[in-house]
Amino acid sequence: MPSRKPKPGEQLSLLPAKKPRKRRRGAKLGRPARAERAGFVAHVTRETHDHRHPVHVSMRRVAGAPSLRAERIYRAILMQLARAKACGVRVVHYSVQADHLHLIIGGKDTADLSAQMRRLFSRIALAVNSIVGRRGKLFRDRHHRRELTSPRQTRNALVYVLFNERKHSSQ
């Protein structure tokens, strides 16, 4: 249908003017990440969670936030981890560092695990922000998680989480 000049008051067509171009083979979807987002967790669909496997979760704090190892903040985080059990969050092991947390967690399914993470990290952020008297984000990004599907992976993750303090205290 040839294009013509619309009459005054006439409804314009919502059909696209041109055919959409096909994507090149091997081209990535979406635009590339900005430089300041380097090192952040990608916003892609996470793998499904099997209830038989524990999950290693890590979460980093924002740059301007106080150290998570400060005495009052550390106690507040431990209190929130203890209270989390009553809310249905199953934290098996944990490690609190100055700028990040490591957790070994169990969950029923993907939705349950996701809800547990949101609940736990929001409670920790509220507690820390109230102690310090600040507002805004405490955690930098989405949590990073890895499902531990084999006994060796589980052992390595446990060693990593439980001895993470030694690694970071030498720096």
Side-chain angles (χ1 to χ4, degrees):
M1 170 170 135
S3 64
R4 62 177 177 81
K5 189 173 181 184
K7 296 177 186 174
E10 182 181 355
Q11 177 73 40
L12 298 176
S13 172
L14 295 177
L15 297 175
K18 294 190 287 183
K19 282 182 162 180
R21 286 193 263 164
K22 290 185 180 178
R23 226 173 9 109
R24 295 183 326 271
R25 195 166 26 139
K28 293 183 180 178
L29 287 174
R31 56 177 78 171
R34 298 186 315 256
E36 63 267 17
R37 296 269 319 154
F40 280 55
V41 178
H43 281 264
V44 295
T45 306
R46 296 186 189 266
E47 61 189 35
T48 58
H49 172 64
D50 184 359
H51 72 280
R52 296 174 296 172
H53 302 141
V55 180
H56 177 205
V57 175
S58 60
M59 186 68 130
R60 298 185 71 79
R61 70 165 168 77
V62 293
S67 170
L68 301 177
R69 294 285 296 184
E71 186 176 346
R72 290 179 64 207
I73 294 172
Y74 183 74
R75 276 189 278 141
I77 291 172
L78 293 184
M79 186 181 302
Q80 291 305 320
L81 289 173
R83 287 183 181 169
K85 186 176 182 182
C87 297
V89 179
R90 297 185 309 176
V91 177
V92 181
H93 294 286
Y94 64 89
S95 171
V96 179
Q97 303 307 317
D99 63 344
H100 65 282
L101 300 169
H102 286 283
L103 308 167
I104 304 288
I105 293 184
K108 293 180 209 154
D109 56 13
T110 307
D112 176 54
L113 190 66
S114 224
Q116 285 185 35
M117 295 298 92
R118 282 194 309 273
R119 195 175 302 124
L120 178 63
F121 290 128
S122 67
R123 290 175 63 100
I124 289 173
L126 285 170
V128 170
N129 282 345
S130 69
I131 287 171
V132 180
R134 68 184 291 273
R135 295 174 58 133
K137 288 172 46 168
L138 175 67
F139 295 110
R140 176 179 106 139
D141 192 22
R142 302 169 71 194
H143 65 273
H144 177 268
R145 81 177 188 214
R146 181 181 186 113
E147 187 140 350
L148 307 173
T149 56
S150 71
R152 179 163 298 225
Q153 267 186 327
T154 305
R155 181 205 175 274
N156 290 344
L158 279 171
V159 167
Y160 184 81
V161 168
L162 297 176
F163 292 111
N164 201 264
E165 185 177 349
R166 288 184 192 179
K167 175 184 172 186
H168 290 286
S169 64
S170 66
Q171 294 177 351

